[in-house]
Amino acid sequence: MTKVTLIATATMGLEALVAREVKSLGYEDVEVENGKVTFTADISAIPRTNLWLRTADRVKLQIGQFKAYSFDELFEKTKSLPWAEFIPVHAEFPVIGKSVKSKLFSVSDCQAIVKKAVVEAMKKRYKRGWFDENGPLYRIEVALHKDVATLTIDTSGTGLHKRGYRYLHNEAPLKETLAAAMIMLTTWKADRPLVDPFCGSGTIPIEAAMIGQNIAPGFNREFVSEEWHWIGKDNWNIARQEVEDLAQYDKPLDILGSDIDHRSVELSKNNAMEAGFADLISFKQMQVKDFTSSKDYGVMIGNPPYGERLMERPEVEQMYKDMGKMCEKLETWSIYMLTSHEGFESLFGRKASKKRKLYNGNLKVDYYQFFGPRPPKNK
């Protein structure tokens, strides 16, 4: 088993970012499709991508892909795949599924057929008629799209957005993967100030601190594939040592999170402490219109209230206007705001330099980017 095919799944709109991250880890054979980035690599890529990918949802091991127009075809082609090369005799191997625009639209039937086919393949290899399934977890997925079945095993376990630092959050938390993407889509560098005036549970400032100090997002959590014998403890140890070697724990950063709600500020402080950034990130209770700074070439990133509820809309729209006036004073700053409000630019008072379609959960949003001047090279 020299090479494996891996799929890094992505929220719609973030595929290019995920592909960029995969390539930055040294993997070149990269194919980008809606919702996923597929690439081939050696086994050591499983620990490395799980530890390092900031914007991917999870990493899956592709076992096979084929056309399937009937249940018989799905069964026979699944059965012919090399399941026993990956799944040990005592493994637990549940099957989940999904089907989009395919003749085989009954997900429950597809799951049952795939499960039966995998069992039959393993019976042949292990010469036994029953599997206890009391060992390591290998969660299989059958995904049908336009009659093409993709069979994968999840290597991540809990989704990659679960970094391990956010035990508490507010009512509408921003996913860590989206927060990281918002930062990576800006011009921010670790030597420039960064401010989040709507910090909520502190996700953007904490993700920025990890990016600024080159700390792998998975450094503080576990992954289901750590128990897989064929990857080996050595590969995981080497990957975790790389994480330690590349981290820049002493790099100074200038990051501020603020919020009008004092409870959010306390929540952010607690989460920053869990992440190990209590002394690195500042938090302050403040309305966005009251923010001022004498610093130059800063970057402001925010996920403000959207005004989705009618009763909140007038208040939110006034806040956008106030924020626009405040930002006029930040002449050298770059501003980045995520919202679903289609009138944001007119309320803010200027047209965005660039606008990018993203998804916050199932809600389609725009990422408004207002580019400030580039800092001089000696800055």
Side-chain angles (χ1 to χ4, degrees), residues 156-199:
S156 301
T158 305
L160 295 182
H161 71 283
K162 296 280 190 180
R163 315 290 206 215
Y165 63 76
R166 199 170 72 176
Y167 292 102
L168 301 169
H169 55 75
N170 54 6
E171 284 183 13
L174 188 69
K175 258 178 122 174
E176 294 88 334
T177 43
L178 180 55
M182 289 169 66
I183 298 158
M184 292 165 70
L185 289 169
T186 75
T187 54
W188 182 69
K189 303 292 181 193
D191 58 351
R192 298 172 68 178
L194 183 144
V195 173
D196 174 7
F198 308 97
C199 66

Short mmCIF file of all heavy atoms in Angstrom, two decimals, residues 156-199:
data_model
loop_
_atom_site.label_atom_id
_atom_site.label_comp_id
_atom_site.label_asym_id
_atom_site.label_seq_id
_atom_site.Cartn_x
_atom_site.Cartn_y
_atom_site.Cartn_z
N SER A 156 -11.20 11.09 10.03
CA SER A 156 -11.14 12.18 11.02
C SER A 156 -11.86 11.86 12.32
O SER A 156 -11.39 12.19 13.41
CB SER A 156 -11.73 13.46 10.41
OG SER A 156 -11.03 13.84 9.24
N GLY A 157 -13.02 11.22 12.22
CA GLY A 157 -13.85 11.03 13.40
C GLY A 157 -14.74 12.25 13.58
O GLY A 157 -15.54 12.57 12.71
N THR A 158 -14.57 12.96 14.67
CA THR A 158 -15.27 14.23 14.84
C THR A 158 -14.79 15.19 13.75
O THR A 158 -13.61 15.18 13.38
CB THR A 158 -14.94 14.83 16.23
OG1 THR A 158 -15.25 13.86 17.22
CG2 THR A 158 -15.74 16.08 16.49
N GLY A 159 -15.70 16.02 13.23
CA GLY A 159 -15.36 16.95 12.15
C GLY A 159 -14.16 17.81 12.50
O GLY A 159 -13.91 18.14 13.66
N LEU A 160 -13.41 18.22 11.48
CA LEU A 160 -12.18 18.97 11.70
C LEU A 160 -12.42 20.36 12.29
O LEU A 160 -11.48 20.98 12.80
CB LEU A 160 -11.38 19.09 10.40
CG LEU A 160 -10.85 17.78 9.82
CD1 LEU A 160 -10.03 18.04 8.55
CD2 LEU A 160 -9.99 17.03 10.84
N HIS A 161 -13.65 20.86 12.22
CA HIS A 161 -13.92 22.17 12.84
C HIS A 161 -13.87 22.09 14.36
O HIS A 161 -13.74 23.11 15.03
CB HIS A 161 -15.27 22.72 12.39
CG HIS A 161 -16.45 21.98 12.94
ND1 HIS A 161 -16.85 20.75 12.45
CD2 HIS A 161 -17.30 22.28 13.95
CE1 HIS A 161 -17.90 20.34 13.12
NE2 HIS A 161 -18.19 21.25 14.04
N LYS A 162 -13.95 20.87 14.90
CA LYS A 162 -13.88 20.69 16.36
C LYS A 162 -12.41 20.68 16.78
O LYS A 162 -11.78 19.64 16.85
CB LYS A 162 -14.56 19.38 16.77
CG LYS A 162 -16.05 19.34 16.47
CD LYS A 162 -16.83 20.09 17.52
CE LYS A 162 -18.33 19.83 17.37
NZ LYS A 162 -19.11 20.54 18.37
N ARG A 163 -11.89 21.86 17.07
CA ARG A 163 -10.46 21.99 17.40
C ARG A 163 -10.16 21.52 18.82
O ARG A 163 -9.03 21.20 19.14
CB ARG A 163 -10.01 23.43 17.27
CG ARG A 163 -10.47 24.19 16.03
CD ARG A 163 -9.83 23.72 14.77
NE ARG A 163 -9.80 24.78 13.77
CZ ARG A 163 -9.93 24.60 12.47
NH1 ARG A 163 -10.12 23.38 11.99
NH2 ARG A 163 -9.88 25.62 11.63
N GLY A 164 -11.16 21.58 19.70
CA GLY A 164 -10.93 21.16 21.07
C GLY A 164 -10.85 22.30 22.07
O GLY A 164 -10.74 22.07 23.27
N TYR A 165 -10.92 23.56 21.58
CA TYR A 165 -10.82 24.68 22.52
C TYR A 165 -12.16 25.31 22.84
O TYR A 165 -12.29 26.05 23.81
CB TYR A 165 -9.86 25.76 21.98
CG TYR A 165 -10.30 26.45 20.69
CD1 TYR A 165 -11.30 27.41 20.67
CD2 TYR A 165 -9.68 26.13 19.49
CE1 TYR A 165 -11.68 28.03 19.49
CE2 TYR A 165 -10.05 26.75 18.29
CZ TYR A 165 -11.05 27.71 18.31
OH TYR A 165 -11.43 28.31 17.14
N ARG A 166 -13.18 25.06 22.03
CA ARG A 166 -14.44 25.79 22.21
C ARG A 166 -15.47 24.90 22.90
O ARG A 166 -16.36 24.35 22.28
CB ARG A 166 -14.97 26.29 20.85
CG ARG A 166 -15.97 27.41 21.00
CD ARG A 166 -16.28 28.05 19.67
NE ARG A 166 -17.09 27.18 18.82
CZ ARG A 166 -17.56 27.54 17.63
NH1 ARG A 166 -17.29 28.73 17.16
NH2 ARG A 166 -18.28 26.70 16.92
N TYR A 167 -15.35 24.79 24.21
CA TYR A 167 -16.30 23.98 24.97
C TYR A 167 -17.63 24.71 25.11
O TYR A 167 -18.68 24.10 25.25
CB TYR A 167 -15.73 23.67 26.36
CG TYR A 167 -14.55 22.73 26.31
CD1 TYR A 167 -13.25 23.21 26.45
CD2 TYR A 167 -14.72 21.37 26.08
CE1 TYR A 167 -12.16 22.35 26.37
CE2 TYR A 167 -13.65 20.50 26.00
CZ TYR A 167 -12.36 21.00 26.16
OH TYR A 167 -11.30 20.16 26.08
N LEU A 168 -17.59 26.03 25.11
CA LEU A 168 -18.79 26.84 25.24
C LEU A 168 -18.89 27.78 24.05
O LEU A 168 -17.88 28.23 23.51
CB LEU A 168 -18.73 27.68 26.53
CG LEU A 168 -18.60 26.87 27.84
CD1 LEU A 168 -18.27 27.81 28.99
CD2 LEU A 168 -19.87 26.10 28.13
N HIS A 169 -20.12 28.08 23.64
CA HIS A 169 -20.29 29.03 22.54
C HIS A 169 -21.62 29.74 22.68
O HIS A 169 -22.48 29.36 23.46
CB HIS A 169 -20.19 28.33 21.18
CG HIS A 169 -21.13 27.17 21.01
ND1 HIS A 169 -22.47 27.33 20.79
CD2 HIS A 169 -20.91 25.83 21.03
CE1 HIS A 169 -23.05 26.15 20.67
NE2 HIS A 169 -22.11 25.21 20.81
N ASN A 170 -21.77 30.81 21.88
CA ASN A 170 -23.02 31.57 21.92
C ASN A 170 -24.07 30.90 21.03
O ASN A 170 -23.84 29.82 20.51
CB ASN A 170 -22.77 33.03 21.51
CG ASN A 170 -22.06 33.13 20.16
OD1 ASN A 170 -21.85 32.14 19.48
ND2 ASN A 170 -21.67 34.34 19.79
N GLU A 171 -25.20 31.56 20.84
CA GLU A 171 -26.34 30.93 20.16
C GLU A 171 -26.07 30.56 18.71
O GLU A 171 -26.53 29.55 18.22
CB GLU A 171 -27.56 31.86 20.23
CG GLU A 171 -28.23 31.89 21.59
CD GLU A 171 -29.47 32.76 21.60
OE1 GLU A 171 -29.93 33.15 20.51
OE2 GLU A 171 -29.95 33.07 22.68
N ALA A 172 -25.33 31.41 18.00
CA ALA A 172 -25.08 31.16 16.58
C ALA A 172 -23.57 31.18 16.32
O ALA A 172 -23.05 32.13 15.75
CB ALA A 172 -25.78 32.21 15.73
N PRO A 173 -22.87 30.14 16.77
CA PRO A 173 -21.41 30.15 16.66
C PRO A 173 -20.94 30.03 15.22
O PRO A 173 -21.55 29.33 14.40
CB PRO A 173 -20.98 28.94 17.48
CG PRO A 173 -22.15 28.00 17.39
CD PRO A 173 -23.37 28.87 17.34
N LEU A 174 -19.88 30.74 14.91
CA LEU A 174 -19.23 30.63 13.61
C LEU A 174 -18.35 29.39 13.62
O LEU A 174 -17.55 29.20 14.54
CB LEU A 174 -18.38 31.89 13.38
CG LEU A 174 -17.76 32.09 12.01
CD1 LEU A 174 -18.84 32.40 10.97
CD2 LEU A 174 -16.75 33.24 12.07
N LYS A 175 -18.49 28.53 12.62
CA LYS A 175 -17.66 27.32 12.56
C LYS A 175 -16.19 27.71 12.46
O LYS A 175 -15.83 28.64 11.75
CB LYS A 175 -18.06 26.48 11.35
CG LYS A 175 -18.93 25.29 11.68
CD LYS A 175 -19.31 24.56 10.43
CE LYS A 175 -18.85 23.12 10.49
NZ LYS A 175 -19.34 22.35 9.32
N GLU A 176 -15.36 26.97 13.17
CA GLU A 176 -13.93 27.26 13.18
C GLU A 176 -13.32 27.22 11.77
O GLU A 176 -12.44 28.03 11.46
CB GLU A 176 -13.20 26.26 14.09
CG GLU A 176 -13.55 26.38 15.55
CD GLU A 176 -14.76 25.56 15.99
OE1 GLU A 176 -15.64 25.26 15.15
OE2 GLU A 176 -14.82 25.20 17.17
N THR A 177 -13.80 26.30 10.94
CA THR A 177 -13.27 26.20 9.58
C THR A 177 -13.62 27.45 8.76
O THR A 177 -12.79 27.93 7.98
CB THR A 177 -13.84 24.95 8.89
OG1 THR A 177 -15.24 24.83 9.19
CG2 THR A 177 -13.14 23.70 9.38
N LEU A 178 -14.83 27.99 8.93
CA LEU A 178 -15.22 29.20 8.22
C LEU A 178 -14.46 30.41 8.75
O LEU A 178 -14.04 31.28 7.98
CB LEU A 178 -16.73 29.43 8.33
CG LEU A 178 -17.29 30.68 7.63
CD1 LEU A 178 -16.91 30.70 6.15
CD2 LEU A 178 -18.80 30.77 7.79
N ALA A 179 -14.26 30.46 10.06
CA ALA A 179 -13.48 31.55 10.65
C ALA A 179 -12.06 31.56 10.09
O ALA A 179 -11.52 32.61 9.72
CB ALA A 179 -13.46 31.42 12.17
N ALA A 180 -11.45 30.38 10.02
CA ALA A 180 -10.10 30.28 9.45
C ALA A 180 -10.08 30.73 8.00
O ALA A 180 -9.17 31.44 7.56
CB ALA A 180 -9.59 28.85 9.58
N ALA A 181 -11.12 30.33 7.24
CA ALA A 181 -11.21 30.73 5.83
C ALA A 181 -11.33 32.24 5.70
O ALA A 181 -10.69 32.85 4.83
CB ALA A 181 -12.40 30.04 5.18
N MET A 182 -12.13 32.86 6.56
CA MET A 182 -12.30 34.31 6.51
C MET A 182 -10.96 35.02 6.71
O MET A 182 -10.67 36.02 6.07
CB MET A 182 -13.31 34.76 7.57
CG MET A 182 -14.75 34.38 7.25
SD MET A 182 -15.86 34.64 8.67
CE MET A 182 -15.81 36.43 8.85
N ILE A 183 -10.14 34.50 7.61
CA ILE A 183 -8.82 35.10 7.86
C ILE A 183 -7.90 34.87 6.67
O ILE A 183 -7.20 35.78 6.21
CB ILE A 183 -8.19 34.52 9.14
CG1 ILE A 183 -9.06 34.83 10.35
CG2 ILE A 183 -6.78 35.04 9.35
CD1 ILE A 183 -8.86 33.91 11.53
N MET A 184 -7.91 33.66 6.13
CA MET A 184 -7.02 33.31 5.03
C MET A 184 -7.38 34.02 3.73
O MET A 184 -6.56 34.10 2.81
CB MET A 184 -7.01 31.79 4.84
CG MET A 184 -6.36 31.06 6.02
SD MET A 184 -6.69 29.28 6.06
CE MET A 184 -5.74 28.72 4.67
N LEU A 185 -8.60 34.54 3.65
CA LEU A 185 -9.03 35.30 2.46
C LEU A 185 -8.71 36.79 2.59
O LEU A 185 -9.12 37.58 1.74
CB LEU A 185 -10.53 35.10 2.22
CG LEU A 185 -10.95 33.72 1.72
CD1 LEU A 185 -12.47 33.55 1.79
CD2 LEU A 185 -10.44 33.46 0.30
N THR A 186 -8.02 37.17 3.64
CA THR A 186 -7.64 38.57 3.83
C THR A 186 -6.16 38.79 3.53
O THR A 186 -5.43 37.84 3.24
CB THR A 186 -7.91 39.03 5.29
OG1 THR A 186 -6.90 38.47 6.16
CG2 THR A 186 -9.29 38.61 5.76
N THR A 187 -5.74 40.03 3.68
CA THR A 187 -4.33 40.39 3.47
C THR A 187 -3.56 40.37 4.79
O THR A 187 -2.41 40.80 4.85
CB THR A 187 -4.23 41.81 2.88
OG1 THR A 187 -4.96 42.72 3.73
CG2 THR A 187 -4.83 41.86 1.48
N TRP A 188 -4.19 39.85 5.86
CA TRP A 188 -3.54 39.90 7.18
C TRP A 188 -2.29 39.06 7.24
O TRP A 188 -2.24 37.93 6.77
CB TRP A 188 -4.51 39.42 8.26
CG TRP A 188 -3.92 39.50 9.64
CD1 TRP A 188 -3.64 40.64 10.34
CD2 TRP A 188 -3.55 38.40 10.48
NE1 TRP A 188 -3.10 40.31 11.57
CE2 TRP A 188 -3.03 38.95 11.68
CE3 TRP A 188 -3.59 37.02 10.34
CZ2 TRP A 188 -2.56 38.16 12.73
CZ3 TRP A 188 -3.13 36.22 11.38
CH2 TRP A 188 -2.62 36.79 12.57
N LYS A 189 -1.27 39.66 7.84
CA LYS A 189 -0.03 38.95 8.19
C LYS A 189 0.17 39.11 9.69
O LYS A 189 -0.34 40.04 10.31
CB LYS A 189 1.17 39.52 7.44
CG LYS A 189 1.04 39.51 5.93
CD LYS A 189 1.06 38.10 5.37
CE LYS A 189 0.96 38.11 3.84
NZ LYS A 189 0.67 36.77 3.30
N ALA A 190 0.98 38.24 10.26
CA ALA A 190 1.13 38.20 11.72
C ALA A 190 1.73 39.47 12.31
O ALA A 190 1.62 39.70 13.51
CB ALA A 190 1.98 37.00 12.11
N ASP A 191 2.35 40.31 11.48
CA ASP A 191 2.94 41.54 12.01
C ASP A 191 1.99 42.74 11.95
O ASP A 191 2.38 43.86 12.26
CB ASP A 191 4.24 41.87 11.25
CG ASP A 191 4.02 42.04 9.75
OD1 ASP A 191 2.89 41.73 9.27
OD2 ASP A 191 4.96 42.46 9.05
N ARG A 192 0.74 42.50 11.57
CA ARG A 192 -0.25 43.59 11.49
C ARG A 192 -1.33 43.40 12.56
O ARG A 192 -1.63 42.27 12.95
CB ARG A 192 -0.90 43.61 10.09
CG ARG A 192 0.09 43.88 8.97
CD ARG A 192 -0.53 43.72 7.60
NE ARG A 192 -1.53 44.73 7.31
CZ ARG A 192 -2.19 44.82 6.14
NH1 ARG A 192 -1.93 43.94 5.18
NH2 ARG A 192 -3.08 45.76 5.95
N PRO A 193 -1.93 44.48 13.03
CA PRO A 193 -3.03 44.35 14.00
C PRO A 193 -4.24 43.68 13.37
O PRO A 193 -4.52 43.89 12.18
CB PRO A 193 -3.35 45.81 14.37
CG PRO A 193 -2.21 46.63 13.89
CD PRO A 193 -1.62 45.90 12.73
N LEU A 194 -4.94 42.89 14.15
CA LEU A 194 -6.19 42.27 13.70
C LEU A 194 -7.26 42.50 14.76
O LEU A 194 -7.01 42.30 15.96
CB LEU A 194 -6.00 40.77 13.46
CG LEU A 194 -7.22 40.02 12.90
CD1 LEU A 194 -6.79 38.93 11.92
CD2 LEU A 194 -8.07 39.39 14.00
N VAL A 195 -8.44 42.93 14.31
CA VAL A 195 -9.55 43.21 15.23
C VAL A 195 -10.81 42.51 14.73
O VAL A 195 -11.13 42.56 13.54
CB VAL A 195 -9.82 44.73 15.32
CG1 VAL A 195 -11.08 45.01 16.13
CG2 VAL A 195 -8.62 45.44 15.94
N ASP A 196 -11.51 41.86 15.65
CA ASP A 196 -12.84 41.31 15.38
C ASP A 196 -13.82 42.03 16.31
O ASP A 196 -13.84 41.76 17.51
CB ASP A 196 -12.88 39.81 15.64
CG ASP A 196 -14.28 39.22 15.50
OD1 ASP A 196 -15.20 39.94 15.08
OD2 ASP A 196 -14.47 38.04 15.84
N PRO A 197 -14.65 42.95 15.79
CA PRO A 197 -15.54 43.72 16.65
C PRO A 197 -16.84 43.00 17.02
O PRO A 197 -17.69 43.57 17.71
CB PRO A 197 -15.83 44.97 15.82
CG PRO A 197 -15.73 44.50 14.40
CD PRO A 197 -14.72 43.38 14.39
N PHE A 198 -17.01 41.77 16.54
CA PHE A 198 -18.20 40.97 16.86
C PHE A 198 -17.72 39.58 17.29
O PHE A 198 -18.10 38.57 16.70
CB PHE A 198 -19.12 40.85 15.64
CG PHE A 198 -19.47 42.17 15.01
CD1 PHE A 198 -18.77 42.64 13.90
CD2 PHE A 198 -20.47 42.97 15.53
CE1 PHE A 198 -19.08 43.85 13.31
CE2 PHE A 198 -20.79 44.20 14.96
CZ PHE A 198 -20.09 44.64 13.85
N CYS A 199 -16.90 39.50 18.32
CA CYS A 199 -16.12 38.28 18.58
C CYS A 199 -16.95 37.08 19.02
O CYS A 199 -16.49 35.95 18.92
CB CYS A 199 -14.99 38.56 19.56
SG CYS A 199 -15.52 38.99 21.23
#
